[in-house]
Amino acid sequence: DCRSNTIVEQGEASEANEFNPQTGRTYSRMSLLALIVNPDHPAAWSTRKQLFLQKEATLSSELRVTEIILSRKPKAECPWLHRLWCFQASNMRFSSKNGCLAEQQAKLVLRVASQYPRNYFAWSYIVRLLRADIMDGYGAQRIGFSVLEFCKTNISDCSAWHTLATLAVAAAKTETESRFEVSASLYI
């Protein structure tokens, strides 16, 4: 199951700690090929995670791998979960300072959702970014209008509407908090 955070099995742990650059490139290529054939291959995703943790792969390279796989298999769940894991593993947060990251994620979701309407896994990725505190309310505000435009043209996409509602709640919460901070600072 791709949801497990197990990087390698117990018996493979000693081999995984002995990565060298040549072996890392080989594992990277082999896992990419396996994922192109089967995007829900748990061992290949575990290899990608191990490469990332061993600094044999970068955040941008892992995001690119998932984009390639999603362009071929837009309904696969594991690439979305791997993207989320990569952001969590690198302690990445989307904020008002780097809001373009939130917009890039939204563009990918919108492109994949356009390819395959009612794509639950694509839309739940945005919700997971919010719930994991990777994206804040300012990021939600930045992408909310794009999601709204998608919803207007895809009225029957319940996952998109749910995501829009979640974004609206996060944006409203941020707006309320910022107003409270401004009001409180006036009295202090």
Side-chain angles (χ1 to χ4, degrees):
D1 182 41
C2 59
R3 292 176 192 222
S4 70
N5 287 331
T6 304
I7 306 300
V8 288
E9 298 297 324
Q10 294 282 341
E12 298 172 322
S14 61
E15 293 175 22
N17 292 329
E18 298 173 9
F19 275 17
N20 65 43
Q22 184 60 37
T23 312
R25 282 190 291 275
T26 302
Y27 287 156
S28 179
R29 287 185 200 124
M30 290 172 51
S31 63
L32 178 59
L33 290 173
L35 291 169
I36 288 172
V37 173
N38 178 8
D40 291 324
H41 193 289
W45 286 117
S46 290
T47 300
R48 304 289 322 172
K49 289 177 183 175
Q50 187 67 35
L51 290 167
F52 186 79
L53 291 175
Q54 296 286 339
K55 308 272 190 250
E56 298 285 336
T58 63
L59 177 62
S60 62
S61 69
E62 289 304 295
L63 296 178
R64 183 68 189 130
V65 164
T66 58
E67 283 181 40
I68 291 168
I69 293 164
L70 289 168
S71 69
R72 295 179 47 83
K73 305 280 186 172
K75 289 285 281 189
E77 179 182 23
C78 290
W80 295 111
L81 295 174
H82 186 70
R83 288 178 78 83
L84 181 66
W85 180 89
C86 287
F87 284 124
Q88 289 173 324
S90 62
N91 294 317
M92 178 67 71
R93 298 287 180 263
F94 306 159
S95 65
S96 55
K97 294 177 184 172
N98 61 358
C100 63
L101 286 171
E103 290 172 357
Q104 290 170 354
Q105 301 311 300
K107 284 180 184 176
L108 176 64
V109 168
L110 290 167
R111 186 175 69 236
V112 170
S114 295
Q115 285 177 319
Y116 204 107
R118 294 181 221 125
N119 191 331
Y120 170 80
F121 298 124
W123 291 112
S124 65
Y125 171 69
I126 296 288
V127 173
R128 287 177 175 146
L129 288 173
L130 283 167
R131 290 189 179 150
D133 290 329
I134 295 171
M135 184 184 344
D136 63 5
Y138 293 110
Q141 288 173 347
R142 290 179 74 120
I143 66 173
F145 291 110
S146 301
V147 176
L148 176 61
E149 290 304 312
F150 180 90
C151 288
K152 287 179 181 178
T153 59
N154 296 278
I155 295 171
S156 65
D157 194 334
C158 296
S159 297
W161 283 102
H162 175 263
T163 300
L164 180 63
T166 304
L167 289 170
V169 168
K173 181 180 175 186
T174 300
E175 186 67 28
T176 301
E177 288 172 356
S178 66
R179 284 184 187 171
F180 177 75
E181 289 172 7
V182 169
S183 298
S185 67
L186 294 175
Y187 295 104
I188 295 179

